[in-house]
Every structure is written in C-alpha cells, then in structure tokens.
Amino acid sequence: MHTGVCYFPEHWPRDRWETDVERMADAGIEYVRMAEFAWNRMEPEPGTYDFEWLAEAVELVGDHGMKAVLCTPTATPPKWLIDEYPSVRRVEDDGTPLEFGSRRHYCYNSPIYRRESRRIIERMVDRFAGNEHVAGWQTDNEFGCHETVRCYCENCTTAFRSWLRERYDDIDELNDEWGNAFWSQEYNSFAEVDLPGRTPANEQQHPSRMLEYQRFSSDSVVEYNRLHVDILRDADDSWFVTHNFMGDFEPLDAFDVTEDLDFAAWDSYPTLHGQEAPDTPDPDSEAGASIQRVGDPDLTGMNHALYRGASDGAFWVMENQSGDIRAYPYSAEPADGMMRLWAHQAVAHGADTVSYFRWRRCTFGQEQYWGALNNYDGSPDRGVVEATEAAADFDELPDLDATSGDVALLIDYDSMWALHNERHTPDFDYWAHIRAYYRALRARGVTVDVVSTAADFDTYSAIVTPSLHVVDDDLAGRLADYAADGGELLLTVRTATKNEYDRFRDELAPGPLSDALGARIEQHESLAPGLDTRVRYDGDTYDYRTWGEWIQPEGATVVGQHESGVGASESAIVRNEHGEGHVAYVGVWPESALADALVVALLERAGLPVSEQLPENVRLTERDGHTWVTNFREEDVSVDPGSGTIILGEETVPGRDLAVVEGPAHEIAIRVEQ
Ligand code: GAL
C-alpha cells in the first residue's frame, strides 16, 4: 500500500525541482504522476519535440528512489493544433463548437484528433520505453470531465451511423426495435439517423435513440482509450496502464473502459462530491455541516467499491483530496485528520496506491484556489503532514490483497442512462437509489462489492440489483439461475421494466424475471415529498419516498403492503422461493429504517452474520482478514475487537481517526464515547 502525488514540473522553475522531489521522498511518497496536461511543452510547435525537461524530472524522481507515472497529454490539445484543425473540437448539442482556453475541447471520434493523439503518444513512448524509473501510465485525464463524453459534431454523426449499421441488420429492424411508428419517426436509411440534438420536446427525446446514442458515446471513449493502451503496451509491457475516473460519474461505462486497463484509478474529492450528490443533506444545513468537513463516507466508499469492482481487485486513487478545494457552493477546510483518514478509507476498500492532488498549490491559471499538500509559497500545508503520517502507517501494515465481500450490488450503466432519460420525477437519481441499499448494508458493517452485470454471480451469497431497469433475456436468465442455485436475489423498483432497446415488453414487469419472482408489477407512481407514503413490513410501518409500485403476486408471498395513498392495501414487497434460493422485490424506494429492515432480512436469508447497526459516520471495512474502523465523527468511539487484535491505533479511536484490527468486521463492536 503506497502513496503518490501529482506533480507538474512545468509549473515551477527548474532549480526548485530538487527541493520538491527531495521533500516528496521524505514524506514517504513512492509514485509521482507527471506530464498530464503538458502537450505544448513536449511539442511547442507542430513536429518539434522536447522531452528532455520531462526526462530530467523522471531521472530526479528515480534518483530519489521513487517511480514516475506518466500521462498521455491528450486532455489539452495545444492552440496550434486547434488552429490548424478546428474540426477536432467537441460540439455542443446546439451545434456550438468548444473554444480553446480550458481543457477537453476535443472529440473522441475525430479521425484527425486520433491521428494527432497517436503521434504524440508514440513520440513519448519512444523517449520513455525501457526507462527503469517509469512504472506505468495514466491515459488522458478524467475522460468526460466538464460533460465531454457526448459530442454532436459531424465526425460523431458519421461514426454513430456506422455504429448503428453494425448493430442492426437493416433500417427496418432499427425502426421496429425502437418503435419509430411513434410520432412519425421512421427512417428510410441509416444515413437519415442524426445525433439527438435539440428538439422542440427536448426533455422527451426518443428513449431508444437516446440510449443507443449514450451507448455509442461511451463506446467512443472506450475505443479512444484503447488507442492509447495499445501504443503503451506495444512499447513496454512492464508498464501498467490505468485511467483516472470520477465519482458518481454517469456518461461513461467505467467497466467497459477498465477492460482494456490493468486497473482503474479514480479522483476522490469527498467534500466536493458530498455537496453535489442529491442524497446528502444541503451543505448549508446543520446536518450538512459534516459533509463540508469530511464528505459523505458512504458516497466516497461506494465509489471506491465501484472502481475495485471495475478493476476486479486492487485499484488506485490517483487524486486524493489534500486540503480545501475549489468546490461549489462552499469550500471549507477539511477537518483535521481527514487527509490521513481518507487515505486509509481508500486502502481499506482495496486501493493499492493513494496519490494526492497536487504537490503544491499553483500560482497561476484556473486552479489557484484548488488546495494541495503544500501551500503556494512552497511551504508545507496540513496535507503534507497528514500524507506523511498515512505513508508511515502503510509501512507498518502488512501487504494485503484487495479481497471481495459476500454481498454484491449490481451497477448497470444502460439502466442508469435509461432511467435518467425517463426519470419520471426530478428525485429519481440512480446513484442515490443504489446508495439507499449501500448505506443500509454498510451501516451493518457489511463489506459490499459493486460489480457489473457481467460479474460472476455465484461468488456472492446475496445480490441486490437496485433499479436494474434494462434487462435482456440473457441477463434475466443468469439472475434467475443464480437464485435457483441457492443465491439470495433482491430486486428493487423499476427492475426489468425495459428490454435492451429501452421499450416496455408486451408483458408486465419484471418481464423475463416474473416467473422467478412469482409476481408482476401492475402500477407505478412517482411521488412528491409532500404525499403520504407509508408501507407495512414485517409488523412495522415505515416511510418510503419518490417511487411506489403495486405488485400482483402470482405465487410469491406478500411481505409488505401499502398503507397510504390510492394503492393502500396493495402489495408492495414480495418474496418468492425459487429453486434453492429466493427472489425478493421491493416496490418502494425505502427510507433508511426500511432499507435496514430489508437488508437485515436479506443477510439472514443468506446465512451471513448480522451485526449491530454502527453509529452514524463510523464504518467498518474488511480487506484480506483485516478490518479498518474509520471514525468520521467529531467524538471518540471505543472499539471492542472481539477475537481480533488491534494492529494500528488504540481501543479509543479519536474523532477523524482510525484503527486497524486483524480480524473480521462482524465481531467488532463500536460505542460512541460520551
Ligand atoms: C481533477 C482533475 C485535475 C484537477 C483537479 C482540480 O478533477 O483531474 O486535473 O483539475 O480536478 O480541479
């Protein structure tokens, strides 16, 4: 478990590098990421290259016993390139091409941009292949940041039509599968199919067309990333290749991109993400105060789990928050201890390296207000002190594998895109819905894997498929088989409502899963916060929110009923024995008490231990037989490790601190100190 940092040598005078690199090594840093946006410094004029400054920086890093991680610099095409080839620019849905002046102003499908990318990457690898100080590469930077996955340029139009031609035998099949008889939307040829730009009913684009466009856009990034990966692997197969993804990021299928990488990395800014998410309290409310100082542990944790799932093992945090950041609407200083605690949280979830953004706060350009380990005058800030402590902690801990848990949550980008195209209410956010279950499981100390629909289901005792909206027959069959073979499957609202073309079937949901469930969904409604939404489950009454369904049992046992609204007394939650296991369906979006009751029942059915509910903002995370106790609260908590042994920290864990126990999570008891 290692520490890294992002460094931009091109931002500092040459005679400062030595001091910086020396201090990095003193802080216990082992990896230094460089060259992320430095295309223009490596090719100041077309065809004139200068890699010597970077080679010098790499050498310096190596001389101090550290390794360099280099980046393909394609997130920032230089001005001369844009002037020479204006057609490489990304175009907005209203037809506006993006101007030079920030970053990510290019289109993934531009043949010219692909050629130019290939050229600069090949030159870079020629210079650095075989260099013993270079450990690996990051491709580009945050594909899709600033909403740049989807583009509406002519290159994309051509590429979209070819992509469709590959998927459909002919245009009649496309018309048929999409249902283009609706509003006279039939096409006579693929050449007539445009990208879904602005229309009069812009919020009501054709769902099948939108979903295909979203798949196509994500695939375009996958293909563009592969261009980088192929060149890097050909040049030096000892290099690892990764990419830095973002948190709760919708438009890009991280599982697909990671297929071509050695592992995924992501950029974790807890106080930023906590303020943006719809399922966290408003930052200016009393409850939201902690979000501003520590972030939302389950939001950060679920993203760690997602990128562990995409990596099928250890992942990296490429950019860990290292102080205050230029977040909106507020950018409070993180609480003391958070830079160390966030690093441990990442490692607990399976990160092999935690790299901080950035070494020193910049004195120019767009990110002067974005914090760093060191202040802009070069003096140490709180971040570097805490990063040094975390690095020393990691040295004390044994090497651990990034192991899997017994419970999986399925994330499916097709379902997310389709649901967000037809939310049916502004409150229907896919990440938030998944997190309702993630939070409940984590509050019971369960280590949760977040995996794609391609995962090997049989390795899990229980699987939750929150709003798995788009389901084809093959996936339905695999899920039903999983339950038949003894798995515990929990389906939630809107599951299997649509087929792979984003249409209702001629039978009620959950379509191909109805037999395994022994029930069908008769009605659904989206519900404003003011409406009375109560459900009776297992002898208690619970609140729910946002979405409700009425279920018609066809053999399943009814375990929950609506108690309010037009559907009062209709079935809301059912469970069915299927082969050796069970399929259950929750037809409401549960508030936390109901989510807890549901996951406890699921764990019991799966024969997994059920621990006491943890205090809010305290989490247990198991990795390879070791459990991290992470205390995001202000107060101390005390730890009873059961049969385990505390190998880092003490029995009293101060606020914003941690302990590591050699032993399983379910034996650990936590008490908040008064
Ligand atoms: C990340 C990005 C970095 C830097 C940082 C602060 O999202 O990868 O390059 O921009 O945010 O803005």
Side-chain angles (χ1 to χ4, degrees):
M1 296 177 295
H2 314 281
T3 307
V5 76
C6 304
Y7 188 52
F8 298 85
E10 69 275 22
H11 293 174
W12 308 106
R14 173 65 190 83
D15 60 10
R16 174 71 194 195
W17 295 1
E18 189 90 39
T19 314
D20 284 342
V21 171
E22 216 173 271
R23 285 188 45 222
M24 286 173 202
D26 289 347
I29 283 167
E30 292 165 78
Y31 292 100
V32 184
R33 185 195 71 174
M34 293 186 290
E36 198 188 21
F37 301 116
W39 190 334
N40 199 52
R41 284 294 169 100
M42 295 187 280
E43 190 183 10
E45 286 171 28
T48 307
Y49 300 96
D50 178 6
F51 297 110
E52 294 325 299
W53 63 271
L54 182 59
E56 242 184 273
V58 167
E59 207 55 36
L60 206 55
V61 162
D63 287 349
H64 286 79
M66 299 179 286
K67 295 275 184 206
V69 177
L70 296 183
C71 307
T72 57
T74 44
T76 47
K79 181 70 164 69
W80 56 257
L81 193 153
I82 297 298
D83 285 349
E84 189 151 343
Y85 307 113
S87 72
V88 307
R89 289 176 302 162
R90 181 181 162 264
V91 171
E92 301 265 55
D93 67 350
D94 66 354
T96 310
L98 294 179
E99 298 298 331
F100 179 84
S102 64
R103 56 181 176 180
R104 307 219 59 78
H105 39 287
Y106 72 86
C107 165
Y108 302 100
N109 283 311
S110 156
I112 296 178
Y113 198 62
R114 289 188 179 194
R115 186 194 70 206
E116 291 296 293
S117 302
R118 208 172 282 121
R119 197 172 51 73
I120 187 68
I121 301 168
E122 281 170 355
R123 286 301 181 129
M124 272 186 96
V125 303
D126 280 353
R127 181 64 184 79
F128 293 102
N131 187 314
E132 53 171 338
H133 304 313
V134 178
W137 289 71
Q138 168 191 304
T139 58
D140 202 286
N141 169 70
E142 293 187 344
F143 285 132
C145 179
H146 313 303
E147 293 179 26
T148 54
V149 166
R150 296 169 192 158
C151 169
Y152 299 80
C153 74
E154 281 179 18
N155 292 314
C156 284
T157 306
T158 310
F160 184 45
R161 290 173 184 159
S162 316
W163 187 91
L164 291 172
R165 278 193 194 93
E166 293 280 311
R167 278 169 83 85
Y168 298 88
D169 287 344
D170 52 35
I171 198 68
D172 294 339
E173 189 196 357
L174 181 149
N175 283 325
D176 210 37
E177 297 292 9
W178 293 12
N180 284 344
F182 192 80
W183 286 356
S184 216
Q185 291 176 85
E186 280 152 331
Y187 300 103
N188 290 324
S189 71
F190 287 105
E192 284 184 5
V193 188
D194 297 324
L195 302 172
R198 298 248 171 123
T199 67
N202 213 33
E203 295 310 309
Q204 278 187 305
Q205 293 272 7
H206 191 302
S208 309
R209 178 182 176 209
M210 276 304 279
L211 180 60
E212 289 292 49
Y213 169 64
Q214 289 158 338
R215 287 173 170 145
F216 154 79
S217 302
S218 179
D219 283 359
S220 303
V221 181
V222 170
E223 209 175 276
Y224 179 71
N225 176 66
R226 191 173 299 142
L227 174 159
H228 297 230
V229 175
D230 287 348
I231 301 172
L232 295 167
R233 291 212 197 288
D234 273 0
D236 189 331
D237 58 12
S238 72
W239 286 336
F240 66 74
V241 184
T242 186
H243 174 75
N244 57 333
F245 295 94
M246 290 169 283
D248 273 17
F249 190 66
E250 175 184 328
L252 179 61
D253 189 322
F255 296 113
D256 285 352
V257 179
T258 308
E259 289 261 296
D260 290 315
L261 302 170
D262 290 288
F263 53 83
W266 80 287
D267 296 345
S268 175
Y269 294 100
T271 67
L272 168 72
H273 299 136
Q275 292 188 63
E276 284 176 342
D279 57 329
T280 53
D282 285 343
D284 52 359
S285 68
E286 209 179 306
S290 134
I291 301 285
Q292 290 192 56
R293 297 288 184 202
V294 309
D296 172 344
D298 287 338
L299 194 158
T300 311
M302 195 170 95
N303 281 285
H304 287 318
L306 165 64
Y307 294 110
R308 181 179 74 237
S311 305
D312 201 9
F315 64 101
W316 278 35
V317 172
M318 191 57 91
E319 298 181 9
N320 202 38
Q321 181 169 343
S322 55
D324 69 300
I325 50 177
R326 200 191 50 174
Y328 292 103
Y330 307 107
S331 191
E333 283 284 346
D336 277 334
M338 285 318 299
M339 276 63 78
R340 171 170 171 259
L341 185 53
W342 285 323
H344 272 279
Q345 185 192 13
V347 157
H349 281 269
D352 259 8
T353 296
V354 179
S355 162
Y356 297 86
F357 187 85
R358 49 187 272 165
W359 174 248
R360 177 172 167 182
R361 196 189 282 258
C362 202
T363 54
F364 44 75
Q366 272 98 326
E367 294 189 340
Q368 297 168 61
Y369 277 100
W370 200 285
L373 292 182
N374 295 282
N375 217 331
Y376 54 88
D377 64 351
S379 63
D381 211 334
R382 288 188 306 150
V384 78
V385 177
E386 293 190 19
T388 310
E389 285 166 14
D393 296 339
F394 296 163
D395 284 346
E396 277 186 41
L397 292 170
D399 269 343
L400 300 174
D401 284 338
T403 45
S404 333
D406 296 316
V407 180
L409 281 180
L410 291 198
I411 285 200
D412 176 48
Y413 286 85
D414 281 359
S415 295
M416 175 165 28
W417 298 330
L419 283 165
H420 287 178
N421 292 337
E422 292 182 289
R423 286 177 194 262
H424 225 303
T425 152
D427 302 330
F428 205 104
D429 181 84
Y430 182 71
W431 295 110
H433 182 68
I434 296 174
R435 214 145 33 225
Y437 290 91
Y438 182 80
R439 289 182 193 289
L441 286 160
R442 295 292 294 131
R444 290 283 175 176
V446 178
T447 296
V448 181
D449 283 9
V450 172
V451 298
S452 80
T453 55
D456 183 1
F457 298 158
D458 293 340
T459 57
Y460 296 105
S461 306
I463 296 182
V464 187
T465 68
S467 281
L468 188 63
H469 193 51
V470 174
V471 172
D472 63 17
D473 291 352
D474 175 59
L475 175 57
R478 288 177 50 228
L479 288 168
D481 288 350
Y482 162 74
D485 293 345
E488 288 300 328
L489 182 63
L490 183 69
L491 313 175
T492 85
V493 292
R494 304 182 78 171
T495 288
T497 312
K498 300 278 197 137
N499 77 358
E500 61 271 39
Y501 300 103
D502 202 359
R503 344 173 2 169
F504 285 166
R505 295 182 170 82
D506 292 338
E507 53 169 340
L508 294 178
L513 279 162
S514 302
D515 286 348
L517 177 63
R520 292 187 185 273
I521 311 308
E522 276 200 317
Q523 298 291 352
H524 60 261
E525 54 179 350
S526 70
L527 299 149
L531 286 176
D532 190 9
T533 44
R534 282 173 293 116
V535 72
R536 186 94 187 148
Y537 172 72
D538 202 17
D540 283 309
T541 297
Y542 296 93
D543 288 327
Y544 69 92
R545 52 165 280 201
T546 308
W547 194 269
E549 293 173 352
W550 312 349
I551 306 175
Q552 179 61 51
E554 292 175 357
T557 309
V558 176
V559 292
Q561 274 168 327
H562 288 282
E563 270 201 341
S564 56
V566 184
S569 84
E570 295 283 350
S571 306
I573 305 169
V574 299
R575 191 173 57 234
N576 196 35
E577 254 177 53
H578 183 60
E580 309 281 300
H582 293 97
V583 182
Y585 190 104
V586 185
V588 296
W589 179 322
E591 293 287 19
S592 57
L594 177 57
D596 178 60
L598 292 165
V599 305
V600 166
L602 180 73
L603 295 170
E604 282 169 352
R605 284 201 300 278
L608 294 169
V610 179
S611 310
E612 285 290 293
Q613 232 177 344
L614 290 165
E616 202 184 329
N617 273 353
V618 179
R619 287 293 174 256
L620 299 178
T621 312
E622 212 172 298
R623 175 176 181 171
D624 201 2
H626 294 69
T627 303
W628 267 255
V629 181
T630 43
N631 180 12
F632 294 85
R633 302 171 73 90
E634 223 173 320
E635 317 86 341
D636 300 355
V637 297
S638 68
V639 181
D640 172 352
S643 67
T645 313
I646 299 179
I647 59 166
L648 188 76
E650 310 278 338
E651 261 175 41
T652 297
V653 178
R656 283 82 195 240
D657 208 321
L658 64 119
V660 180
V661 176
E662 189 177 347
H666 69 266
E667 287 193 20
I668 297 174
I670 304 290
R671 207 162 32 80
V672 176
E673 305 256 303
Q674 297 308 325

Coordinates of all heavy atoms in Angstrom, one line a residue, residues 36-37 103 141-142 244 267 269 319 357 367 370, ligand 1:
E36 N 0.6 15.4 -17.3 CA -0.8 15.2 -17.6 C -1.3 16.1 -18.6 O -2.1 15.7 -19.5 CB -1.5 15.4 -16.3 CG -2.9 14.8 -16.3 CD -3.6 15.2 -15.0 OE1 -3.3 16.2 -14.4 OE2 -4.6 14.5 -14.7
F37 N -0.9 17.4 -18.5 CA -1.5 18.4 -19.5 C -0.4 19.1 -20.3 O -0.6 20.2 -20.7 CB -2.3 19.4 -18.7 CG -3.4 18.9 -17.9 CD1 -3.5 19.0 -16.5 CD2 -4.5 18.2 -18.5 CE1 -4.5 18.5 -15.7 CE2 -5.6 17.7 -17.7 CZ -5.6 17.8 -16.4
R103 N -9.8 22.9 -21.1 CA -9.3 21.6 -21.5 C -10.4 20.7 -22.0 O -11.6 21.1 -21.9 CB -8.6 20.9 -20.2 CG -9.5 20.8 -19.0 CD -8.8 20.2 -17.8 NE -9.7 20.2 -16.7 CZ -9.4 19.7 -15.5 NH1 -8.2 19.2 -15.3 NH2 -10.3 19.8 -14.5
N141 N -6.9 12.3 -19.1 CA -7.2 12.7 -17.8 C -8.8 12.8 -17.7 O -9.4 13.5 -18.5 CB -6.7 14.1 -17.4 CG -7.3 14.6 -16.1 OD1 -7.0 14.1 -15.0 ND2 -8.1 15.6 -16.2
E142 N -9.3 12.1 -16.7 CA -10.8 12.2 -16.5 C -11.6 12.3 -17.7 O -12.2 13.3 -18.0 CB -11.1 13.3 -15.5 CG -10.5 13.1 -14.1 CD -10.9 14.2 -13.1 OE1 -11.4 15.3 -13.6 OE2 -10.8 14.0 -11.9
N244 N -7.8 7.7 -14.8 CA -8.4 8.3 -13.6 C -9.8 8.7 -13.8 O -10.1 9.7 -14.5 CB -7.6 9.5 -13.0 CG -7.4 10.6 -14.0 OD1 -7.4 10.4 -15.2 ND2 -7.2 11.8 -13.5
D267 N -10.5 9.8 -9.0 CA -10.1 11.0 -8.3 C -11.2 11.3 -7.2 O -12.3 11.6 -7.5 CB -10.0 12.1 -9.3 CG -8.9 11.9 -10.4 OD1 -8.1 11.0 -10.1 OD2 -8.9 12.5 -11.4
Y269 N -12.7 13.5 -4.3 CA -12.8 14.8 -3.6 C -14.0 14.7 -2.7 O -15.1 15.2 -3.1 CB -12.8 15.9 -4.7 CG -11.6 16.0 -5.5 CD1 -11.4 15.5 -6.7 CD2 -10.5 16.7 -4.9 CE1 -10.2 15.5 -7.4 CE2 -9.3 16.8 -5.6 CZ -9.2 16.2 -6.9 OH -8.0 16.3 -7.6
E319 N -6.1 10.8 -7.6 CA -6.1 12.2 -7.0 C -6.9 12.1 -5.7 O -8.1 12.0 -5.7 CB -6.7 13.2 -7.9 CG -5.9 13.3 -9.2 CD -6.5 14.3 -10.2 OE1 -7.4 15.1 -9.8 OE2 -6.1 14.4 -11.4
F357 N -3.6 15.0 -5.0 CA -3.6 16.1 -5.9 C -3.5 17.4 -5.1 O -4.3 17.7 -4.3 CB -4.9 16.2 -6.7 CG -4.9 17.2 -7.8 CD1 -4.3 16.9 -9.0 CD2 -5.3 18.5 -7.6 CE1 -4.2 17.8 -10.1 CE2 -5.2 19.4 -8.6 CZ -4.7 19.1 -9.8
E367 N -6.6 27.0 -11.5 CA -6.8 26.2 -10.3 C -6.0 26.8 -9.1 O -5.6 26.0 -8.2 CB -6.5 24.8 -10.5 CG -7.5 24.2 -11.5 CD -7.4 22.7 -11.7 OE1 -6.3 22.1 -11.3 OE2 -8.4 22.1 -12.1
W370 N -7.4 25.8 -5.8 CA -7.6 24.4 -5.5 C -6.4 23.9 -4.6 O -5.2 24.1 -5.0 CB -7.6 23.6 -6.8 CG -8.2 22.2 -6.6 CD1 -7.6 21.1 -6.0 CD2 -9.5 21.8 -7.0 NE1 -8.5 20.1 -6.0 CE2 -9.7 20.4 -6.6 CE3 -10.6 22.4 -7.6 CZ2 -10.8 19.7 -6.8 CZ3 -11.8 21.6 -7.8 CH2 -11.9 20.3 -7.4
Ligands
GAL1 C1 -9.5 16.9 -11.2 C2 -8.5 16.9 -12.3 C3 -7.3 17.6 -12.1 C4 -7.5 18.9 -11.5 C5 -8.4 18.7 -10.2 C6 -8.7 20.0 -9.6 O1 -10.8 16.6 -11.5 O2 -8.2 15.6 -12.8 O3 -6.6 17.8 -13.3 O4 -8.2 19.7 -12.4 O5 -9.5 18.1 -10.5 O6 -9.5 20.8 -10.4

